[in-house]
Amino acid sequence: MKKILVTGGAGFIGSNFARMLLGRRGARHVVVLDKLTYAGNLENISDLEGRTDFEFIKGDICNVKLLDGILPGTDVIYNFAAETHVDRSIMEAGGFVKTDVVGTYALLQGALKHGVRRFVQISTDEVYGSIARGRFRETDPLLPNSPYSASKAGAEMLVRSFFRTYGLPVVITRSSNNYGPYQHPEKFIPLFVTNAIEGKPLPLYGDGRNVRDWIYVEDNCRAIAIAGEKGVAGEVYNIGAGDEKPNLEIARKIVGLAGADMNLLTLVDDRPGHDRRYAVDTEKIRALGWRKKTDFDEGMRKTVEWYRNNEGWWKAVKEGRFKRYYKRMYGGRLESAAKAGSGAPRASRSGSGAGSAKAAVRAARKGRK
Ligand code: NAD
Ligand code: DAU
């Protein structure tokens, strides 16, 4: 019987992935190991609870003893477990180094010790840093710019070394920005969707023109499974949908889909070290037979609908400690933006003119709801 370990499976992508493994991909035995940090949520996998082919274990990937108990008989590890939010890594990086680097090392050691046949490391396109034009290929150098992406790059280096030194059959995926059901509302799209529904300001960093390539989470999960099943050991696979959008365009779309007011759009002080643009070349994963199935407009409609239909889920997450986080992250910025006048950033470190950014937001605000 094939036993598959999904670490971080109570988080956003990991929960969608575990569901897909047990559904369309017909896995026989899936174990989710998750520490249930602020980002982990048992509700994300409540539909899997009670199945005989599914097991949930609460625990830390850094816990070597625990891993020694879980890993015997495991065929494949998909390592999703990580601290994942760039903004939090700027506030406090230690937890990122611990989980993303040291945790990955503990898992690699365990995989080697217990004869795991495949180790799939879920990495990110952020390890390349920012690109002004063109797309990153898997062979490009890693130039991470945030403590988060640096930790993920560090993890990748260890994964690579375990292949080169010990012959552990590893595969690394580097995906672009995911969106879809169960994403924690601290991230851009769910934060803006839920704030729009609640009639709260939508805090756009800098000039709102940073570009991300958005992929619907189910498309990424399918690509990860294909890389895990068909990928060549020791290889890296970029994953992206080619749906590159500036943040302001997405914010406007969300306001429209949520039927909210464009006046909610608010330019705030930028994220330090904010990467301007991510874009990846996906020829390699497509050569394994992967194609995206969900285009951006459809994915966004489904996502906004999911958050509308699951208000209980995100309202519970946005209580308590999230409120403290939100105040710390946005309180001062939103106050400054209010003082400076609608849609005006106090300062933009992104480079392009704050004046034209302000004009773009004003133009959006003047449009219909
Ligand atoms: P998430 O923050 O929603 O979930 C992370 C999960 O890991 C949580 O359930 C958390 O409880 C768990 N976790 C954290 N520390 C742990 C530890 N020490 N031991 C066990 N479990 C722990 O993250 P996500 O957005 O689902 O991202 C999953 C993976 O995909 C991460 O490795 C991330 O770097 C990568 N990734 C994410 C995106 C994206 O757009 N979200 C894009 C590319 C790559
Ligand atoms: O590229 C893949 C990465 O995508 C993953 O590795 C990370 O785990 C994931 O969090 C994501 O990182 P980003 O920093 O790109 O995602 P985030 O949702 O935080 O921000 C997306 C863009 O929106 C980015 O340009 C910053 C901007 N933003 C974000 C927030 C939270 C805002 O303008 N306002 C906000 O309030």
Side-chain angles (χ1 to χ4, degrees):
M1 183 166 72
K2 207 168 187 182
K3 177 171 154 188
I4 301 176
L5 176 66
V6 178
T7 70
F12 164 45
I13 309 176
S15 62
N16 280 284
F17 186 75
R19 184 169 299 107
M20 187 201 69
L21 280 183
L22 288 166
R24 280 192 300 280
R25 297 199 93 79
R28 301 263 173 80
H29 185 189
V30 171
V31 178
V32 162
L33 169 64
D34 197 296
K35 187 178 171 183
L36 296 181
T37 65
Y38 78 95
N41 189 342
L42 278 181
E43 276 192 45
N44 298 3
I45 45 173
S46 57
D47 55 322
L48 305 179
E49 232 179 63
R51 288 177 65 132
T52 51
D53 50 6
F54 175 76
E55 197 182 335
F56 173 77
I57 298 167
K58 181 172 187 245
D60 192 327
I61 57 166
C62 301
N63 184 339
V64 173
K65 258 197 185 157
L66 177 70
L67 294 181
D68 276 339
I70 297 171
L71 290 177
T74 299
D75 297 290
V76 187
I77 297 175
Y78 288 94
N79 183 27
F80 289 88
E83 288 293 340
T84 64
H85 191 30
V86 173
D87 288 328
R88 286 187 192 256
S89 81
I90 295 166
M91 290 197 296
E92 207 287 301
F96 288 72
V97 176
K98 192 155 182 250
T99 287
D100 302 10
V101 183
V102 180
T104 300
Y105 172 62
L107 268 178
L108 286 164
Q109 276 191 308
L112 201 58
K113 181 172 172 188
H114 296 287
V116 171
R117 286 192 221 143
R118 179 137 288 209
F119 187 102
V120 184
Q121 173 67 7
I122 313 305
S123 194
T124 167
D125 63 356
E126 295 203 12
V127 294
Y128 294 117
S130 195
I131 189 166
R133 279 171 301 281
R135 294 166 182 279
F136 285 118
R137 299 187 70 110
E138 288 85 348
T139 45
D140 284 330
L142 306 192
L143 295 168
N145 290 318
S146 74
Y148 160 68
S149 52
S151 304
K152 294 296 288 186
E156 274 202 35
M157 295 299 98
L158 285 167
V159 173
R160 174 186 155 88
S161 77
F162 269 63
F163 170 71
R164 303 285 291 201
T165 307
Y166 307 114
L168 185 72
V170 307
V171 160
I172 295 171
T173 65
R174 292 184 189 142
S175 122
S176 65
N177 286 61
N178 285 228
Y179 67 102
Y182 299 105
Q183 186 166 30
H184 192 285
E186 69 185 358
K187 300 284 174 77
F188 175 57
I189 286 183
L191 178 70
F192 276 39
V193 171
T194 57
N195 277 12
I197 293 172
E198 294 182 301
K200 290 182 177 160
L202 309 182
L204 269 171
Y205 294 163
D207 63 4
R209 292 202 170 109
N210 295 64
V211 171
R212 298 290 182 266
D213 169 6
W214 293 94
I215 183 169
Y216 192 62
V217 63
E218 286 174 8
D219 279 331
N220 182 32
C221 287
R222 218 165 12 85
I224 289 169
I226 289 171
E229 289 158 13
K230 296 203 231 164
V232 176
E235 291 294 313
V236 178
Y237 295 88
N238 286 341
I239 301 172
D243 282 321
E244 280 179 44
K245 313 276 176 205
N247 294 335
L248 175 58
E249 187 182 324
I250 293 183
R252 293 186 60 170
K253 181 177 252 316
I254 289 171
V255 170
L257 285 169
D261 191 327
M262 287 292 174
N263 284 313
L264 295 176
L265 296 176
T266 308
L267 289 176
V268 299
D269 283 356
D270 208 352
R271 168 189 282 175
H274 195 175
D275 283 333
R276 190 62 167 169
R277 174 175 175 263
Y278 299 140
V280 284
D281 179 290
T282 54
E283 206 180 305
K284 250 176 111 175
I285 188 73
R286 284 187 281 116
L288 295 183
W290 176 83
R291 297 285 180 279
K292 77 165 175 183
K293 286 189 177 163
T294 307
D295 76 21
F296 186 70
D297 286 345
E298 186 197 346
M300 282 300 293
R301 267 196 308 277
K302 289 202 305 200
T303 301
V304 173
E305 198 181 311
W306 188 88
Y307 282 91
R308 272 209 178 289
N309 293 336
N310 290 276
E311 283 204 7
W313 180 88
W314 57 262
K315 282 198 165 148
V317 177
K318 279 182 120 178
E319 280 303 318
R321 58 185 163 180
F322 182 84
K323 282 195 170 147
R324 291 192 290 281
Y325 161 80
Y326 196 80
K327 193 163 178 229
R328 186 171 168 200
M329 179 59 61
Y330 297 100
R333 282 163 149 173
L334 286 168
E335 266 173 38
S336 304
K339 274 190 206 139
S342 62
R346 194 173 52 181
S348 170
R349 289 177 224 162
S350 304
S352 107
S356 63
K358 194 170 149 186
V361 169
R362 288 226 167 109
R365 285 176 162 198
K366 273 195 196 135
R368 256 184 348 107
K369 264 188 174 185

